[in-house]
Amino acid sequence: MKRDERRQQIIDLLVENGVVDLEELAKRFTVSKMTIHRDLDELEAGGLLRKVRGGATIEAGMQFESDFRLRERQGSEGKERMALEALELVEPGMTVMVNDGSMAAILGSMLPRKKPLTVITNNASILESLKFEKGIDLIALGGMYSSKFNGYFGVLAEQNLTSLRADLAFLSSPAVSGNQVFHMDADVIRVKKAMINAAVKTCLLVNHTRFDRVALHVLANLDDFDWVITDQVPEPNVQQQLVDAGIQLTIARSLENT
């Protein structure tokens, strides 16, 4: 098996399972553990995974989030349910902001159902899906493109947001702990904060597996958001923390009920 084919299969296993074991990979591909170490080193250098003791993972860490291309292949059913739940907040005629991320990209593709709308975004997938959509006034924030997050960030995006105002902003996050929302990337944090400041109402979209996690930078408090939507009921200890903080959590309905 060629090196590139082996590495692609490692990525496929990570998308399916979230983690891989070094020894199991060596046996699976009939190569040495040193060869697998080199594979994982190269994939980590490309931002596709995070090496851990005895293997690798694509689960978010304090300073790590997996590449957009991997995240968009994970949990599509839950993302669709959250997007449909969020869509209920949108009314024709609104100006809506949507941030980067694979979850947000799905919501963005659904927005034409509520047109006419003005949509402000730094999400490259949304820009692509809406650019020819009649009834959608599309505002691209600009800035430096990040392939890891498939979006635009930096000074231009932040400055543009200071001169814009939206009825509603949809944001996502890879980590929530207690009453705080986190992200591991400083550039991403700054754009998300600017979106919060530029919107009348805000909605946080967060996968249930992202609760009880922290990352390097604090984005906001949960009670800074008008709505918090997730795909499944979180663990009991997380539920209690949310209750204690007075946070009303919306669980996205099943697709059969939407």
Side-chain angles (χ1 to χ4, degrees):
M1 178 182 293
K2 294 181 178 179
R3 181 190 63 183
D4 289 346
E5 183 181 354
R6 183 177 65 249
R7 291 179 180 178
Q8 182 58 55
Q9 288 195 25
I10 292 172
I11 289 298
D12 291 340
L13 288 168
L14 280 164
V15 170
E16 182 179 353
N17 302 313
V19 296
V20 290
D21 181 81
L22 189 147
E23 290 192 10
E24 290 180 4
L25 289 175
K27 292 177 182 177
R28 182 187 187 96
F29 297 114
T30 321
V31 295
S32 69
K33 288 193 287 185
M34 186 56 67
T35 296
I36 297 298
H37 266 300
R38 286 195 293 268
D39 287 340
L40 298 181
D41 285 341
E42 287 292 324
L43 292 170
E44 184 177 48
L48 295 169
L49 56 78
R50 173 168 58 98
K51 287 186 74 176
V52 295
R53 186 176 181 86
T57 180
I58 56 172
E59 296 300 322
M62 281 286 289
Q63 299 186 57
F64 173 82
E65 173 73 304
S66 60
D67 189 279
F68 175 88
R69 291 166 293 179
L70 303 187
R71 286 180 281 120
E72 70 177 347
R73 294 171 56 187
Q74 293 181 294
S76 58
E77 190 265 351
K79 291 174 183 176
E80 183 178 359
R81 288 192 293 106
M82 282 191 285
L84 286 167
E85 197 72 43
L87 196 65
E88 293 297 310
L89 301 175
V90 180
E91 298 178 4
M94 277 185 167
T95 296
V96 178
M97 278 183 188
V98 190
N99 74 175
D100 65 286
S102 56
M103 159 75 257
I106 294 175
L107 172 59
S109 70
M110 295 179 178
L111 289 176
R113 303 180 194 184
K114 295 297 184 83
K115 63 186 181 183
L117 293 171
T118 297
V119 178
I120 303 168
T121 189
N122 66 329
N123 190 314
S125 288
I126 295 176
L127 293 172
E128 183 65 27
S129 65
L130 298 185
K131 65 183 181 182
F132 296 124
E133 191 70 44
K134 293 182 179 179
I136 299 289
D137 291 329
L138 186 60
I139 299 176
L141 288 174
M144 290 291 293
Y145 176 73
S146 165
S147 59
K148 183 180 183 66
F149 297 105
N150 198 33
Y152 295 87
F153 304 93
V155 174
L156 282 176
E158 295 160 32
Q159 287 181 342
N160 286 337
L161 282 164
T162 64
S163 63
L164 296 168
R165 193 70 170 165
D167 298 296
L168 179 58
F170 292 102
L171 292 97
S172 52
S173 170
V176 175
S177 181
N179 190 39
Q180 290 188 307
V181 183
F182 300 85
H183 200 283
M184 60 287 298
D185 188 278
D187 288 335
V188 176
I189 276 281
R190 285 193 292 268
V191 170
K192 288 180 188 285
K193 285 185 174 182
M195 284 187 169
I196 292 172
N197 292 333
V200 177
K201 299 279 188 179
T202 56
C203 175
L204 178 68
L205 303 164
V206 56
N207 185 285
H208 75 284
T209 62
R210 302 303 182 101
F211 285 101
D212 208 19
R213 293 187 181 187
V214 296
L216 185 60
H217 302 284
V218 175
L219 168 61
N221 291 331
L222 275 178
D223 52 15
D224 291 331
F225 295 92
D226 297 280
W227 298 275
V228 181
I229 297 175
T230 190
D231 58 331
Q232 293 182 33
V233 177
E235 294 295 321
N237 65 306
V238 173
Q239 292 182 60
Q240 190 58 54
Q241 289 175 356
L242 295 173
V243 169
D244 292 343
I247 303 300
Q248 180 66 46
L249 190 64
T250 300
I251 310 299
R253 291 163 290 177
S254 66
L255 294 178
E256 292 79 9
N257 296 329
T258 55

PDB file of all heavy atoms in Angstrom, residues 156-172:
ATOM      1  N   LEU A 156      -9.239  42.635   8.607  1.00  0.00           N
ATOM      2  CA  LEU A 156     -10.274  43.060   7.666  1.00  0.00           C
ATOM      3  C   LEU A 156     -11.658  42.573   8.103  1.00  0.00           C
ATOM      4  O   LEU A 156     -12.632  43.341   8.093  1.00  0.00           O
ATOM      5  CB  LEU A 156      -9.963  42.555   6.254  1.00  0.00           C
ATOM      6  CG  LEU A 156      -8.900  43.317   5.481  1.00  0.00           C
ATOM      7  CD1 LEU A 156      -8.636  42.636   4.144  1.00  0.00           C
ATOM      8  CD2 LEU A 156      -9.313  44.758   5.267  1.00  0.00           C
ATOM      9  N   ALA A 157     -11.753  41.302   8.467  1.00  0.00           N
ATOM     10  CA  ALA A 157     -13.036  40.761   8.920  1.00  0.00           C
ATOM     11  C   ALA A 157     -13.519  41.480  10.174  1.00  0.00           C
ATOM     12  O   ALA A 157     -14.699  41.840  10.285  1.00  0.00           O
ATOM     13  CB  ALA A 157     -12.910  39.260   9.183  1.00  0.00           C
ATOM     14  N   GLU A 158     -12.612  41.696  11.113  1.00  0.00           N
ATOM     15  CA  GLU A 158     -12.982  42.358  12.374  1.00  0.00           C
ATOM     16  C   GLU A 158     -13.418  43.802  12.139  1.00  0.00           C
ATOM     17  O   GLU A 158     -14.417  44.261  12.707  1.00  0.00           O
ATOM     18  CB  GLU A 158     -11.800  42.305  13.336  1.00  0.00           C
ATOM     19  CG  GLU A 158     -11.425  40.892  13.770  1.00  0.00           C
ATOM     20  CD  GLU A 158     -10.012  40.809  14.313  1.00  0.00           C
ATOM     21  OE1 GLU A 158      -9.551  41.809  14.924  1.00  0.00           O
ATOM     22  OE2 GLU A 158      -9.354  39.775  14.113  1.00  0.00           O
ATOM     23  N   GLN A 159     -12.685  44.520  11.286  1.00  0.00           N
ATOM     24  CA  GLN A 159     -13.040  45.910  11.006  1.00  0.00           C
ATOM     25  C   GLN A 159     -14.372  46.019  10.280  1.00  0.00           C
ATOM     26  O   GLN A 159     -15.185  46.913  10.566  1.00  0.00           O
ATOM     27  CB  GLN A 159     -11.931  46.579  10.196  1.00  0.00           C
ATOM     28  CG  GLN A 159     -10.672  46.870  10.996  1.00  0.00           C
ATOM     29  CD  GLN A 159      -9.597  47.551  10.168  1.00  0.00           C
ATOM     30  OE1 GLN A 159      -9.632  47.516   8.932  1.00  0.00           O
ATOM     31  NE2 GLN A 159      -8.634  48.159  10.840  1.00  0.00           N
ATOM     32  N   ASN A 160     -14.603  45.124   9.332  1.00  0.00           N
ATOM     33  CA  ASN A 160     -15.867  45.147   8.598  1.00  0.00           C
ATOM     34  C   ASN A 160     -17.061  44.948   9.530  1.00  0.00           C
ATOM     35  O   ASN A 160     -18.116  45.561   9.344  1.00  0.00           O
ATOM     36  CB  ASN A 160     -15.871  44.071   7.504  1.00  0.00           C
ATOM     37  CG  ASN A 160     -14.993  44.443   6.330  1.00  0.00           C
ATOM     38  OD1 ASN A 160     -14.721  45.615   6.098  1.00  0.00           O
ATOM     39  ND2 ASN A 160     -14.542  43.448   5.591  1.00  0.00           N
ATOM     40  N   LEU A 161     -16.893  44.117  10.536  1.00  0.00           N
ATOM     41  CA  LEU A 161     -17.990  43.851  11.462  1.00  0.00           C
ATOM     42  C   LEU A 161     -18.341  45.074  12.317  1.00  0.00           C
ATOM     43  O   LEU A 161     -19.483  45.207  12.757  1.00  0.00           O
ATOM     44  CB  LEU A 161     -17.637  42.664  12.367  1.00  0.00           C
ATOM     45  CG  LEU A 161     -17.801  41.286  11.698  1.00  0.00           C
ATOM     46  CD1 LEU A 161     -17.075  40.217  12.498  1.00  0.00           C
ATOM     47  CD2 LEU A 161     -19.271  40.933  11.542  1.00  0.00           C
ATOM     48  N   THR A 162     -17.399  45.965  12.519  1.00  0.00           N
ATOM     49  CA  THR A 162     -17.704  47.159  13.321  1.00  0.00           C
ATOM     50  C   THR A 162     -18.661  48.105  12.599  1.00  0.00           C
ATOM     51  O   THR A 162     -19.286  48.962  13.241  1.00  0.00           O
ATOM     52  CB  THR A 162     -16.419  47.935  13.687  1.00  0.00           C
ATOM     53  OG1 THR A 162     -15.805  48.420  12.488  1.00  0.00           O
ATOM     54  CG2 THR A 162     -15.450  47.053  14.443  1.00  0.00           C
ATOM     55  N   SER A 163     -18.788  47.977  11.290  1.00  0.00           N
ATOM     56  CA  SER A 163     -19.678  48.853  10.528  1.00  0.00           C
ATOM     57  C   SER A 163     -20.951  48.147  10.080  1.00  0.00           C
ATOM     58  O   SER A 163     -21.692  48.673   9.250  1.00  0.00           O
ATOM     59  CB  SER A 163     -18.934  49.418   9.306  1.00  0.00           C
ATOM     60  OG  SER A 163     -18.551  48.374   8.428  1.00  0.00           O
ATOM     61  N   LEU A 164     -21.205  46.961  10.619  1.00  0.00           N
ATOM     62  CA  LEU A 164     -22.389  46.184  10.246  1.00  0.00           C
ATOM     63  C   LEU A 164     -23.244  45.894  11.479  1.00  0.00           C
ATOM     64  O   LEU A 164     -22.746  45.897  12.608  1.00  0.00           O
ATOM     65  CB  LEU A 164     -21.974  44.859   9.586  1.00  0.00           C
ATOM     66  CG  LEU A 164     -21.233  44.972   8.250  1.00  0.00           C
ATOM     67  CD1 LEU A 164     -20.626  43.630   7.865  1.00  0.00           C
ATOM     68  CD2 LEU A 164     -22.165  45.469   7.153  1.00  0.00           C
ATOM     69  N   ARG A 165     -24.510  45.625  11.235  1.00  0.00           N
ATOM     70  CA  ARG A 165     -25.438  45.293  12.324  1.00  0.00           C
ATOM     71  C   ARG A 165     -26.400  44.221  11.834  1.00  0.00           C
ATOM     72  O   ARG A 165     -26.914  44.309  10.713  1.00  0.00           O
ATOM     73  CB  ARG A 165     -26.220  46.541  12.750  1.00  0.00           C
ATOM     74  CG  ARG A 165     -26.977  46.407  14.049  1.00  0.00           C
ATOM     75  CD  ARG A 165     -26.048  46.334  15.240  1.00  0.00           C
ATOM     76  NE  ARG A 165     -26.755  46.434  16.505  1.00  0.00           N
ATOM     77  CZ  ARG A 165     -26.236  46.118  17.669  1.00  0.00           C
ATOM     78  NH1 ARG A 165     -25.000  45.666  17.733  1.00  0.00           N
ATOM     79  NH2 ARG A 165     -26.926  46.252  18.786  1.00  0.00           N
ATOM     80  N   ALA A 166     -26.634  43.207  12.646  1.00  0.00           N
ATOM     81  CA  ALA A 166     -27.520  42.104  12.274  1.00  0.00           C
ATOM     82  C   ALA A 166     -28.623  41.928  13.312  1.00  0.00           C
ATOM     83  O   ALA A 166     -28.443  42.244  14.490  1.00  0.00           O
ATOM     84  CB  ALA A 166     -26.731  40.804  12.144  1.00  0.00           C
ATOM     85  N   ASP A 167     -29.760  41.426  12.852  1.00  0.00           N
ATOM     86  CA  ASP A 167     -30.836  41.079  13.778  1.00  0.00           C
ATOM     87  C   ASP A 167     -30.457  39.873  14.629  1.00  0.00           C
ATOM     88  O   ASP A 167     -30.811  39.791  15.805  1.00  0.00           O
ATOM     89  CB  ASP A 167     -32.121  40.750  12.999  1.00  0.00           C
ATOM     90  CG  ASP A 167     -32.628  41.925  12.194  1.00  0.00           C
ATOM     91  OD1 ASP A 167     -33.004  42.932  12.816  1.00  0.00           O
ATOM     92  OD2 ASP A 167     -32.637  41.838  10.957  1.00  0.00           O
ATOM     93  N   LEU A 168     -29.717  38.944  14.012  1.00  0.00           N
ATOM     94  CA  LEU A 168     -29.465  37.657  14.656  1.00  0.00           C
ATOM     95  C   LEU A 168     -28.125  37.105  14.189  1.00  0.00           C
ATOM     96  O   LEU A 168     -27.817  37.121  12.992  1.00  0.00           O
ATOM     97  CB  LEU A 168     -30.597  36.685  14.297  1.00  0.00           C
ATOM     98  CG  LEU A 168     -30.560  35.261  14.820  1.00  0.00           C
ATOM     99  CD1 LEU A 168     -30.496  35.225  16.337  1.00  0.00           C
ATOM    100  CD2 LEU A 168     -31.802  34.515  14.327  1.00  0.00           C
ATOM    101  N   ALA A 169     -27.307  36.625  15.125  1.00  0.00           N
ATOM    102  CA  ALA A 169     -26.028  35.992  14.794  1.00  0.00           C
ATOM    103  C   ALA A 169     -26.009  34.562  15.312  1.00  0.00           C
ATOM    104  O   ALA A 169     -26.385  34.301  16.465  1.00  0.00           O
ATOM    105  CB  ALA A 169     -24.863  36.777  15.391  1.00  0.00           C
ATOM    106  N   PHE A 170     -25.583  33.645  14.456  1.00  0.00           N
ATOM    107  CA  PHE A 170     -25.426  32.245  14.829  1.00  0.00           C
ATOM    108  C   PHE A 170     -23.937  31.949  14.957  1.00  0.00           C
ATOM    109  O   PHE A 170     -23.161  32.152  14.021  1.00  0.00           O
ATOM    110  CB  PHE A 170     -26.035  31.334  13.767  1.00  0.00           C
ATOM    111  CG  PHE A 170     -27.533  31.421  13.692  1.00  0.00           C
ATOM    112  CD1 PHE A 170     -28.146  32.153  12.681  1.00  0.00           C
ATOM    113  CD2 PHE A 170     -28.335  30.779  14.625  1.00  0.00           C
ATOM    114  CE1 PHE A 170     -29.530  32.241  12.608  1.00  0.00           C
ATOM    115  CE2 PHE A 170     -29.721  30.866  14.563  1.00  0.00           C
ATOM    116  CZ  PHE A 170     -30.315  31.594  13.546  1.00  0.00           C
ATOM    117  N   LEU A 171     -23.549  31.455  16.142  1.00  0.00           N
ATOM    118  CA  LEU A 171     -22.162  31.122  16.406  1.00  0.00           C
ATOM    119  C   LEU A 171     -22.055  29.685  16.889  1.00  0.00           C
ATOM    120  O   LEU A 171     -23.009  29.126  17.453  1.00  0.00           O
ATOM    121  CB  LEU A 171     -21.562  32.064  17.452  1.00  0.00           C
ATOM    122  CG  LEU A 171     -21.395  33.510  16.997  1.00  0.00           C
ATOM    123  CD1 LEU A 171     -22.573  34.349  17.461  1.00  0.00           C
ATOM    124  CD2 LEU A 171     -20.091  34.087  17.530  1.00  0.00           C
ATOM    125  N   SER A 172     -20.887  29.098  16.672  1.00  0.00           N
ATOM    126  CA  SER A 172     -20.624  27.737  17.139  1.00  0.00           C
ATOM    127  C   SER A 172     -19.350  27.732  17.963  1.00  0.00           C
ATOM    128  O   SER A 172     -18.556  28.672  17.907  1.00  0.00           O
ATOM    129  CB  SER A 172     -20.495  26.781  15.951  1.00  0.00           C
ATOM    130  OG  SER A 172     -19.549  27.279  15.023  1.00  0.00           O
TER     131      SER A 172
END
